[in-house]
């Protein structure tokens, strides 16, 4: 689903990083969050300009972030991630709800919520990868690289089917009492 805008997304992130490297703030600002904020602003500016008129994309500006809805199916936001693909957010109710797919978010129909993240190399001197990451709470549900995608279309992985029976009736913990036995009072 994101393949049709892959080029604009990757360009926005790469050019934003180049803006950072060329800025007079590089090497002056003390904290990584300052750099991340600068790069995020540049990504948003570039992505907004590139995608605002795109027929398949609806730009949603609000709640102190900008999100992009693609074909009314995929909602994404831009983030910096660590090497595992996890972004870090202040644990606001909105930030937690973004990764809780049982939560109705922004009054939108059911959409796949993902992050488009950039990962830096170990020395944090260049972008190592740009990925689409889906989380379920704190866990990474799936991830794929937009740089490895090349010209091939990469379908979004489908969520795993939920078991028909609840996990409690499938999994038996060692030493746990068997609830099926009659209790003797």
């Amino acid at each position: 689903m994101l393949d049709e805008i892959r080029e604009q997304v990757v360009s926005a992130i790469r050019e934003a990083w180049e803006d950072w490297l060329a800025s007079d703030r590089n090497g002056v600002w003390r904290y990584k969050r300052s750099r991340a904020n600068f790069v995020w602003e540049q990504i948003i500016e570039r992505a907004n300009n590139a995608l605002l008129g795109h027929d398949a994309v609806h730009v949603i500006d609000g709640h102190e972030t900008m999100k992009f809805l693609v074909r009314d199916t995929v909602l994404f936001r831009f983030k910096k991630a660590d090497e595992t693909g996890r972004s870090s957010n202040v644990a606001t109710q909105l930030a937690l709800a973004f990764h809780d797919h049982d939560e109705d978010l922004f009054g939108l129909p059911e959409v796949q919520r993902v992050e488009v993240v950039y990962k830096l190399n170990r020395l944090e001197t260049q972008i190592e990868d740009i990925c689409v990451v889906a989380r379920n709470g704190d866990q990474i549900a799936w991830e794929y690289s937009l740089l490895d995608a090349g010209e091939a279309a990469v379908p979004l992985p489908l969520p795993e089917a939920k078991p028909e029976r609840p996990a409690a009736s499938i999994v038996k913990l060692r030493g746990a009492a068997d609830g099926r036995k009659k209790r003797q009072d």
Side-chain angles (χ1 to χ4, degrees):
M1 186 64 61
L2 297 183
D3 190 58
E4 66 184 294
I5 60 168
R6 183 185 66 81
E7 185 178 314
Q8 293 95 325
V9 167
V10 169
S11 290
I13 294 172
R14 284 185 166 161
E15 291 171 13
W17 184 255
E18 291 302 318
D19 291 345
W20 166 251
L21 294 177
S23 78
D24 61 353
R25 302 284 92 200
N26 184 7
V28 176
W29 283 346
R30 292 175 182 84
Y31 301 106
K32 292 179 185 182
R33 71 177 172 261
S34 300
R35 177 193 62 209
N37 286 334
F38 177 96
V39 173
W40 183 86
E41 287 287 348
Q42 296 302 106
I43 290 170
I44 293 303
E45 180 67 21
R46 292 177 177 280
N48 189 40
N49 289 339
L51 298 173
L52 192 57
H54 197 290
D55 291 340
V57 180
H58 179 71
V59 178
I60 302 169
D61 189 0
H63 300 288
E64 295 199 31
T65 191
M66 193 169 283
K67 295 162 288 302
F68 300 83
L69 181 61
V70 182
R71 298 219 177 268
D72 295 326
T73 307
V74 179
L75 180 73
F76 74 90
R77 63 185 183 179
F78 290 99
K79 293 298 235 169
K80 178 191 172 293
D82 64 17
E83 64 279 352
T84 69
R86 289 191 45 163
S87 61
S88 58
N89 300 294
V90 176
T92 64
Q93 287 183 339
L94 188 60
L96 295 171
F98 191 87
H99 298 299
D100 181 352
H101 299 281
D102 292 330
E103 287 282 331
D104 179 27
L105 196 57
F106 312 116
L108 294 171
E110 191 169 320
V111 295
Q112 177 70 51
R113 296 188 298 253
V114 297
E115 292 177 325
V116 174
V117 302
Y118 66 96
K119 299 177 185 180
L120 299 177
N121 67 357
R122 205 171 118 244
L123 297 176
E124 299 189 351
T125 57
Q126 65 183 3
I127 292 176
E128 187 169 274
D129 206 353
I130 299 171
C131 300
V132 178
V133 178
R135 287 180 29 191
N136 187 8
D138 285 338
Q139 303 299 313
I140 302 285
W142 51 262
E143 168 183 1
Y144 70 87
S145 172
L146 289 174
L147 301 182
D148 292 342
E151 295 303 317
V154 179
L156 291 177
L158 296 173
E160 293 181 27
K162 295 181 181 177
E164 291 187 24
R165 295 185 299 160
S169 65
I170 298 171
V171 178
K172 180 77 170 130
L173 299 177
R174 181 181 289 168
D178 187 350
R180 291 174 287 177
K181 293 181 183 175
K182 285 190 171 182
R183 296 181 81 187
Q184 304 211 2
D185 295 314

